Structure formats: structure tokens, C-alpha cells
Amino acid sequence: MKRLLFVYNPHAGKGMLGPKVSDIVDIFVKAGYEVVIYPTQAYHDAYKKISKYSASDYDLVVCSGGDGTLDEVVTGMMKRNERDPIGYIPAGTTNDFANSLHIPKDVLQAADNAVNGTKFSCDVGKFNDDIFVYIAAFGLFTDVSYETKQELKNVLGHLAYVLEGTKRLFNIPSYKIRVEHDGGVIEDEFVFGMVTNSRSVGGFRNMIGKQVVFDDGLFEVTLIKTPKNPMALQEIVAALLIEQVDTNHMYTFKTGKITFESVEEIPWTLDGEYGGSHDEVVIENLSKQLEIMVPEREKLNLSACKSEEAQAKERSKKGK
């Protein structure tokens, strides 16, 4: 019999998962798995559990919780020499990455996808010596106290609200940063920056890009310049609220590797968790190195193959 490790955060989503654990496990068993259940006990517990089990112990790992739980499980898996596929049951507050991969919102449907879906080889991010699943960010809310857990979980979901508070925006730090990517260099002052592999962050979609795929070896980068006056601030807020890029105040591009250098140390978040303060950050795309379970009907829509297929059709139309 195949073996499955089920790691879940019992506190995620206000404990919504607890009453459904029995039904979830029943789905796993019916799919032919012997199941080991592990509710996390503390911060970084999921990471330790995933990174240390013996290579022959499990055939599949399924995790449930918010973005932080997924981040711990993926980070643990990426530290291993032999990696197993990961199924994900979203139970957090934003679940941007799960939504981007079209993983069902319903807990039992997500459990079914975890064992009966299809494996998708997805890009994952390397941040210096750390790992992130779908976003590394600095600025705005990312340098607040991380003692308030719920604020930390919703850091980017509150972006529009924060930006509407003009005084608060002008009081947050501005960072002078040298950014290098693809042989080019940008030197400017920024209040916010994010490197993402997701179709939405905190509900914002078009700010990230409209042609996002998950196995192309590229991240989407958005950098927001420091507003120099109230008019610039208004234009930034307006762009964010209508989810459009304002090229006068923002840089947006795709890259497989990017370096940030600053005089002072800048606090970062990785998938909504505190990622430390750094004066130099190297972010690399580890292309197709994470196996995650997705609905079979959606696999092609997530892949660069879909984009190439669409481009071929467009060329064919033009040729007619």
C-alpha cells in the first residue's frame, strides 16, 4: 500500500479543518493510501517534519493550512535529496497560490485533488539560502512588527487599505536600491517591491501580469517608486485600486534571476512570513523543481506549453 503523510495546521482558518479531518482521511484511504496524520505543534514544525523523514517513508505529502504552512512544507521538501509530490488543501485567509493553480476552495474537493489530481512540475523561488513558493516582498506592511500573527498572514491583502491612508504611506521607509537583472541595472528609491510566481497577490491580478505561467523559469517583478509628492501618491493609489500598471511610478518585468543591493538592511517577507533583514538579496527561479498536485483539466492552462500553443495558433491565423 502507498503511504501518505498528512501535515496540517489545526489553527488555520479559525480551526475550520478540525471537524473535517476524518472525511479528508477517508478520501485518502479510498484512493489507496495508508495515512500518517501530523498536526503541527509550533512555528517551523512542518518544515522539520518534512525535511527529516526517511526517503522510503512516504509516496505523497499532503499539507493543509495557510500560505505559511505551505511555505514550510515546500521549503522542507526542497531541502531533501529525494522529493515527493505535494498535495495542498488551502485553509488560510488568502490562498493566492492555491487559487492561481485552480486548486478547489472546498476542503473535500481539494483533498480529492491532492490524491486523484495530476502532478505538475512548478517553478519555486530561491531567496539567498532560503526558499519561497510564490512571493518575496519588501516595503509597506512588510517591515511592521511580526508579533501580530493575523496582520502577518494578511500583509498583502491589506495593500489597498494601507495605500488609501496617505499619512501612513508617507511615514513608511523608502529604500534606495540597486537592482540587477538580465544584465541590466536599475537604481532608484522604492516603497515596495515583489518578486512573484502567482496570478494574484492579495487579490491584485493585473499588477502582476496577464501572461503568468508557472513553469517558464521566470518571475514577475513589480517595483513601486517612492512618491515624490501628493500627486504621485494619488496616481499610485489610483493604479493599484484599478489594478493597472502605472509606468511613471512602477517597474514591471519578468526575469529568472534578480539581485537587490542596498546600504541598509531591508526587512523581507517570504510567502507572508518574516524572511529576515538583508542588504543583499539574490533571488533565483528553480524551474520545474516542485511537484504539486493540480486538477488534471487545468494542467495545460498553468504551463508555458499553453502559451507556446496559443502563440502558434496566433501565428497560424496571421498566416492565413
Side-chain angles (χ1 to χ4, degrees):
M1 182 177 282
K2 297 176 292 184
R3 301 193 80 223
L4 181 155
L5 173 62
F6 178 39
V7 177
Y8 74 97
N9 179 354
H11 304 294
K14 298 180 180 178
M16 59 169 280
L17 204 68
K20 299 181 180 180
V21 168
S22 179
D23 292 330
I24 291 170
V25 172
D26 186 60
I27 290 171
F28 296 163
V29 172
K30 283 183 168 63
Y33 287 94
E34 179 183 349
V35 182
V36 174
I37 306 172
Y38 188 81
T40 58
Q41 304 297 304
Y43 178 66
H44 262 209
D45 200 16
Y47 165 79
K48 294 174 185 175
K49 184 68 176 177
I50 299 303
S51 60
K52 292 182 179 179
Y53 69 76
S54 299
S56 59
D57 283 354
Y58 304 106
D59 302 284
L60 175 67
V61 171
V62 178
C63 66
S64 186
D67 291 336
T69 302
L70 177 64
D71 177 87
E72 287 191 30
V73 169
V74 170
T75 300
M77 191 64 72
M78 294 300 295
K79 299 291 185 182
R80 300 179 58 82
N81 293 323
E82 296 183 29
R83 298 168 188 160
D84 296 313
I86 295 173
Y88 181 43
I89 302 173
T93 50
T94 53
N95 303 317
D96 279 310
F97 191 64
N99 292 338
S100 295
L101 295 181
H102 303 292
I103 293 172
K105 294 180 175 67
D106 179 81
V107 167
L108 299 186
Q109 290 179 18
D112 181 74
N113 171 72
V115 288
N116 295 314
T118 186
K119 297 175 188 175
F120 175 59
S121 296
C122 184
D123 297 344
V124 69
K126 183 181 180 184
F127 178 98
N128 290 347
D129 294 325
D130 211 337
I131 295 291
F132 67 96
V133 181
Y134 77 100
I135 180 169
F138 69 85
L140 291 182
F141 248 161
T142 59
D143 62 349
V144 300
S145 168
Y146 292 90
E147 295 175 2
T148 308
K149 295 296 184 183
Q150 200 57 39
E151 278 189 18
L152 183 149
K153 302 297 183 187
N154 294 297
V155 57
L156 291 171
H158 292 305
L159 183 56
Y161 175 78
V162 176
L163 283 172
E164 287 183 284
T166 57
K167 291 182 180 178
R168 183 158 190 176
L169 180 59
F170 274 117
N171 286 335
I172 67 167
S174 172
Y175 302 107
K176 188 171 184 179
I177 305 176
R178 183 181 189 274
V179 181
E180 184 174 350
H181 70 98
D182 303 313
V185 175
I186 300 169
E187 292 192 62
D188 214 325
E189 293 188 15
F190 302 101
V191 292
F192 179 73
M194 62 182 177
V195 180
T196 64
N197 190 36
S198 177
R199 287 179 179 163
S200 72
V201 175
F204 289 86
R205 290 183 176 272
N206 293 336
M207 294 300 302
I208 296 170
K210 297 180 181 180
Q211 301 297 322
V212 178
V213 292
F214 299 89
D215 63 353
D216 60 354
L218 298 173
F219 288 125
E220 285 67 40
V221 180
T222 302
L223 304 171
I224 300 179
K225 301 178 189 178
T226 303
K228 303 299 183 183
N229 52 60
M231 181 62 73
L233 174 62
Q234 286 183 345
E235 291 172 355
I236 292 172
V237 171
L240 290 170
L241 292 177
I242 64 172
E243 300 184 8
Q244 295 293 332
V245 172
D246 184 335
T247 54
N248 291 324
H249 304 294
M250 305 174 192
Y251 296 93
T252 60
F253 52 88
K254 294 175 181 280
T255 186
K257 182 177 180 180
I258 186 168
T259 301
F260 296 84
E261 295 180 0
S262 55
V263 175
E264 60 188 312
E265 291 191 338
I266 299 174
W268 286 75
T269 61
L270 306 179
D271 300 325
E273 301 288 343
Y274 181 53
S277 294
H278 310 271
D279 55 15
E280 183 172 355
V281 166
V282 179
I283 296 176
E284 297 178 74
N285 187 297
L286 305 180
S287 184
K288 300 182 181 180
Q289 293 195 30
L290 168 65
E291 275 197 323
I292 193 160
M293 304 298 289
V294 302
E296 186 169 3
R297 66 184 181 278
E298 299 290 351
K299 184 175 180 180
L300 185 59
N301 292 326
L302 304 172
S303 174
C305 297
K306 176 70 173 180
S307 297
E308 291 166 4
E309 184 180 276
Q311 289 171 19
K313 286 182 179 178
E314 187 65 27
R315 287 194 296 269
S316 178
K317 286 180 182 178
K318 290 179 179 179
K320 289 182 180 179

